[in-house]
Amino acid sequence: IKKYPEICVDKFLELDSEISNSLSTTKKQNNQFNLKNLKAKNLLSFAELDLDLSKRGLVRIFSEPHNMGGKSNLTRIIKILLFGEFYRTSGERTTQDKFLHKHSPLNYAFVEGEIEINGDTYFVRRDFTKGKSGKVSQKLSVSNQNGNTIDNDYYESLVGDIKTFLFVSYFD
């Protein structure tokens, strides 16, 4: 087992706050996210994914092998859950037809998660279906902890814009 230096959570939160405050947006979003669990099927490089993050603090993503272990795709799946899209490091927006696992015969994929935003719990699910033409469609479903359907526009106002989204923090 490798030993890693202790991560100073207070310093991380301080840096996150500084960055959030420095964002120059007309509609400032400073919502705190807490991802409780994450499930996906047939999405990017994952045939299946099931993570319980409810009892975790700060999460460090590590893989063996170091390359091609799914670290980047895991963070992309979180962005797909929150925003329905992601951008590559080059700034290129990835299209939905690239979301489905490329080695799978299945014509659908999904990602779902339980997310706490500013103390309120939401259950978010995105379904992706590839039609006969090869085009992939997306359906977003959001509900609260009481099972009531949440308006998609309201949800999108909570999570904000992917372009200003810098960190996903997993804190209790």
Side-chain angles (χ1 to χ4, degrees), residues 5 9-10 12 29 34-35 44 47 72 80 85 87 92 99-101 107 110 123 125 138 147 157 159 163 172:
V9 175
D10 291 335
F12 179 84
Q29 291 285 338
N34 187 0
L35 183 58
L44 300 177
S72 295
I80 292 170
E85 64 182 339
Y87 287 79
E92 171 193 358
F99 289 0
L100 276 65
H101 190 292
N107 66 350
F110 76 84
F123 299 93
R125 181 177 171 110
Q138 177 181 164
S157 75
V159 296
K163 292 180 181 177
D172 290 336

Side-chain angles (χ1 to χ4, degrees), residues 10-133:
D10 291 335
K11 279 289 193 193
F12 179 84
L13 290 172
E14 181 181 320
L15 177 61
D16 184 53
S17 178
E18 283 179 36
I19 291 170
S20 294
N21 290 333
S22 70
L23 292 175
S24 57
T25 59
T26 53
K27 185 179 176 188
K28 206 171 211 184
Q29 291 285 338
N30 289 317
N31 294 333
Q32 183 174 358
F33 297 81
N34 187 0
L35 183 58
K36 298 289 191 174
N37 65 54
L38 179 67
K39 291 182 184 180
K41 181 173 182 136
N42 200 38
L43 201 58
L44 300 177
S45 61
F46 292 93
E48 293 210 24
L49 176 68
D50 189 353
L51 297 175
D52 179 3
L53 301 167
S54 61
K55 296 187 178 23
R56 299 275 186 172
L58 184 62
V59 174
R60 179 178 182 270
I61 302 171
F62 177 81
S63 72
E64 280 293 341
H66 298 300
N67 294 322
M68 305 299 289
K71 299 178 302 292
S72 295
N73 279 341
L74 179 59
T75 61
R76 290 175 183 139
I77 287 175
I78 293 169
K79 292 174 189 174
I80 292 170
L81 174 69
L82 292 172
F83 306 106
E85 64 182 339
F86 70 89
Y87 287 79
R88 296 207 175 268
T89 308
S90 63
E92 171 193 358
R93 182 177 179 265
T94 299
T95 57
Q96 291 178 158
D97 63 316
K98 304 283 192 227
F99 289 0
L100 276 65
H101 190 292
K102 65 182 175 184
H103 300 298
S104 172
L106 300 175
N107 66 350
Y108 70 93
F110 76 84
V111 60
E112 64 183 15
E114 179 182 351
I115 307 168
E116 186 179 294
I117 305 173
N118 296 334
D120 294 322
T121 301
Y122 299 92
F123 299 93
V124 179
R125 181 177 171 110
R126 291 186 189 268
D127 290 282
F128 302 93
T129 306
K130 184 188 287 187
K132 291 181 182 177
S133 68

